[in-house]
Amino acid sequence: MPPHFQLDEDNDVIHNAEAFSLAPESAYQAVYSPLRLYLRQLVVDEVKRENPKLAAIQHRYRSPGLDRLFVFSGMLGNHSFFMIALPFLHTFGMGAFARGLTFVVLWSIYFSGAVKDYISAPRPASPPVVQITRSPAHTLEYGFPSTHTTYAAATI
């Protein structure tokens, strides 16, 4: 049985990080403002609409080689990569560039996290879409906006 929201003795929602995106809709309706519910529903409807298309694309083109490629390239857009890469820029005399990139990356982390928590949209359903990741923690966070896409947009 998937995890769900639990209520305490005052009928307040007990937030469980593992259960957030698997909560019943009534849990969101109990605590979110009308604007937040409206925005969340727009994104959830789009995720549901795109889910069969994503599954079909994945079914047609998925291969072990592409899985490895996407796992590797996905690691280039996570926090650990930047924690390793940014000090090297300082080491090689690119301190101003490294500080600017650090500023951009930190703001994109903050921005994407704030929007993810505000919208609370789940990731595409798995199955039928297969989540290809080396970190199971990524499957527990909300899906919109994509942190990797936010990094890419911020650093270009």
Side-chain angles (χ1 to χ4, degrees), residues 130-147:
V130 179
Q131 294 183 1
I132 303 168
T133 181
R134 292 192 58 100
S135 172
H138 290 283
T139 63
L140 298 176
E141 67 180 22
Y142 298 123
F144 175 83
S146 164
T147 307

Side-chain angles (χ1 to χ4, degrees), residues 29-49:
Q29 292 170 351
V31 295
Y32 285 6
S33 69
L35 174 63
R36 192 171 177 186
L37 276 174
Y38 173 75
L39 293 173
R40 180 180 187 280
Q41 195 57 51
L42 285 176
V43 175
V44 168
D45 289 345
E46 187 65 20
V47 169
K48 287 178 182 176
R49 188 182 69 76

Side-chain angles (χ1 to χ4, degrees), residues 24-151:
E25 196 61 32
S26 61
Y28 296 106
Q29 292 170 351
V31 295
Y32 285 6
S33 69
L35 174 63
R36 192 171 177 186
L37 276 174
Y38 173 75
L39 293 173
R40 180 180 187 280
Q41 195 57 51
L42 285 176
V43 175
V44 168
D45 289 345
E46 187 65 20
V47 169
K48 287 178 182 176
R49 188 182 69 76
E50 292 178 352
N51 204 46
K53 295 175 187 176
L54 291 172
I57 291 168
Q58 202 174 44
H59 177 73
R60 181 171 181 183
Y61 296 108
R62 188 162 179 227
S63 70
L66 286 175
D67 285 358
R68 284 191 295 277
L69 173 69
F70 288 124
V71 166
F72 176 73
S73 63
M75 291 187 326
L76 297 175
N78 69 17
H79 305 45
S80 300
F81 170 76
F82 288 108
M83 289 175 54
I84 294 168
L86 290 172
F88 279 104
L89 294 174
H90 282 283
T91 303
F92 295 119
M94 301 165 82
F97 177 71
R99 284 187 295 280
L101 187 57
T102 301
F103 182 75
V104 167
V105 168
L106 290 175
W107 272 108
S108 67
I109 290 169
Y110 174 78
F111 173 77
S112 67
V115 173
K116 276 182 193 242
D117 289 342
Y118 188 78
I119 300 293
S120 308
R123 293 179 175 273
S126 178
V129 175
V130 179
Q131 294 183 1
I132 303 168
T133 181
R134 292 192 58 100
S135 172
H138 290 283
T139 63
L140 298 176
E141 67 180 22
Y142 298 123
F144 175 83
S146 164
T147 307
H148 288 83
T149 304
T150 306
Y151 287 161

Side-chain angles (χ1 to χ4, degrees), residues 2-6 13 19-30 40:
H4 58 279
F5 276 97
Q6 296 174 340
V13 176
F20 249 164
S21 61
L22 300 174
E25 196 61 32
S26 61
Y28 296 106
Q29 292 170 351
R40 180 180 187 280

Side-chain angles (χ1 to χ4, degrees), residues 9-24:
E9 61 276 352
D10 297 321
N11 282 337
D12 293 325
V13 176
I14 299 171
H15 295 285
N16 177 349
E18 293 181 10
F20 249 164
S21 61
L22 300 174

